[in-house]
Amino acid sequence: MELETKEKILTTVFDKYEASISSSTIHKLALMADEVYFPRGSMVLGINQTQAFVYFIANGIARSYVTDEQGNEIVRNFMLEKDFLLGESLFSNTSLESFDAIEDLNCLRFKAEDLKQFIMEDNQLKDFYIKMLESTLRYKMQREYSFQNLSAKERYKVFKDTFGQAEKRIPLNQIASYIGIKKESLSRLRRNFKSN
């Protein structure tokens, strides 16, 4: 991937989060980035594995999940284009969940240690990093609130509001897992949504 293409991808990521990052900083980040590809269905990182990298998704969708005692995969989050993948590798050495590719993934990859050092040396990136940490914390709080206080129908609406058109690209069983219901219940819920 050409340097200019990497710079464009990084610019769209920062634009998405309305972050004001200078072109020289974006250029330096692009120089640090490698292009990586994960085919659909492949594992990006397993639970308890060392988190050595941070990724920006250029194309594709990934998910994070844990496995319960019965072997069921419980989806925690979906990551789309212009999202971070494994952002927590900047503050945790070991993964507490698994990550895999729902679609073919094209990403920019950064060594977590090098990226964190660069962030700490750049005030714009430091501000952006704080914003991202706050956003992650809000997401986790909203997820917890959702499971404690919202009905399945309301949780599905939150999912639709959060992920929009990406719903068509995510397998039904994974959406059901994310919402905390069975696949059959989600099918009924979707039919009711369409009829309303």
Side-chain angles (χ1 to χ4, degrees):
M1 185 184 292
E2 292 181 6
L3 187 63
E4 189 179 336
T5 305
K6 291 179 187 178
E7 289 175 353
K8 283 180 184 173
I9 292 168
L10 290 167
T11 300
T12 62
V13 170
F14 293 123
D15 286 349
K16 175 184 177 181
Y17 294 101
E18 299 176 359
S20 178
I21 308 295
S22 71
S23 56
S24 64
T25 297
I26 289 172
H27 178 73
K28 289 174 189 172
L29 284 169
L31 289 170
M32 294 170 66
D34 296 321
E35 181 186 10
V36 291
Y37 170 76
F38 297 99
R40 180 181 177 216
S42 66
M43 186 68 69
V44 177
L45 186 75
I47 196 161
N48 296 325
Q49 290 184 338
T50 303
Q51 299 184 118
F53 300 102
V54 176
Y55 304 87
F56 289 134
I57 299 176
N59 291 299
I61 301 180
R63 68 170 175 153
S64 65
Y65 66 95
V66 294
T67 306
D68 67 16
E69 291 177 356
Q70 290 76 40
N72 301 308
E73 294 176 355
I74 300 164
V75 177
R76 287 193 158 173
N77 201 1
F78 298 104
M79 289 127 287
L80 316 176
E81 288 88 359
K82 302 178 191 172
D83 279 342
F84 284 101
L85 178 57
L86 307 181
E88 69 276 4
S89 57
L90 292 176
F91 52 85
S92 174
N93 292 329
T94 307
S95 176
L96 301 175
E97 53 197 337
S98 297
F99 296 81
D100 66 4
I102 294 175
E103 296 179 338
D104 290 348
L105 282 179
N106 291 300
C107 303
L108 294 182
R109 180 180 71 181
F110 300 85
K111 289 181 181 172
E113 195 175 302
D114 294 348
L115 181 60
K116 186 164 188 178
Q117 183 179 341
F118 186 55
I119 287 170
M120 292 305 133
E121 294 167 357
D122 185 287
N123 286 332
Q124 290 177 325
L125 284 178
K126 207 183 295 183
D127 289 344
F128 175 71
Y129 180 53
I130 291 167
K131 239 189 213 183
M132 292 306 301
L133 288 175
E134 289 172 348
S135 174
T136 300
L137 183 59
R138 271 194 308 276
Y139 172 80
K140 289 183 183 291
M141 290 167 65
Q142 287 166 348
R143 283 284 283 161
E144 186 178 333
Y145 172 84
S146 161
F147 274 99
Q148 291 175 344
N149 298 289
L150 301 182
S151 67
K153 182 179 179 181
E154 291 168 324
R155 290 196 303 274
Y156 178 57
K157 185 181 182 319
V158 170
F159 166 82
K160 288 176 77 60
D161 292 344
T162 304
F163 297 105
Q165 291 298 311
E167 177 181 5
K168 296 172 184 169
R169 299 161 57 193
I170 300 171
L172 199 61
N173 63 316
Q174 293 182 15
I175 296 171
S177 172
Y178 179 84
I179 295 168
I181 59 177
K182 295 197 180 306
K183 183 179 172 181
E184 298 74 24
S185 301
L186 178 58
S187 295
R188 284 193 298 275
L189 203 55
R190 290 174 93 183
R191 282 195 300 273
N192 290 341
F193 251 82
K194 285 175 185 172
S195 61
N196 290 335

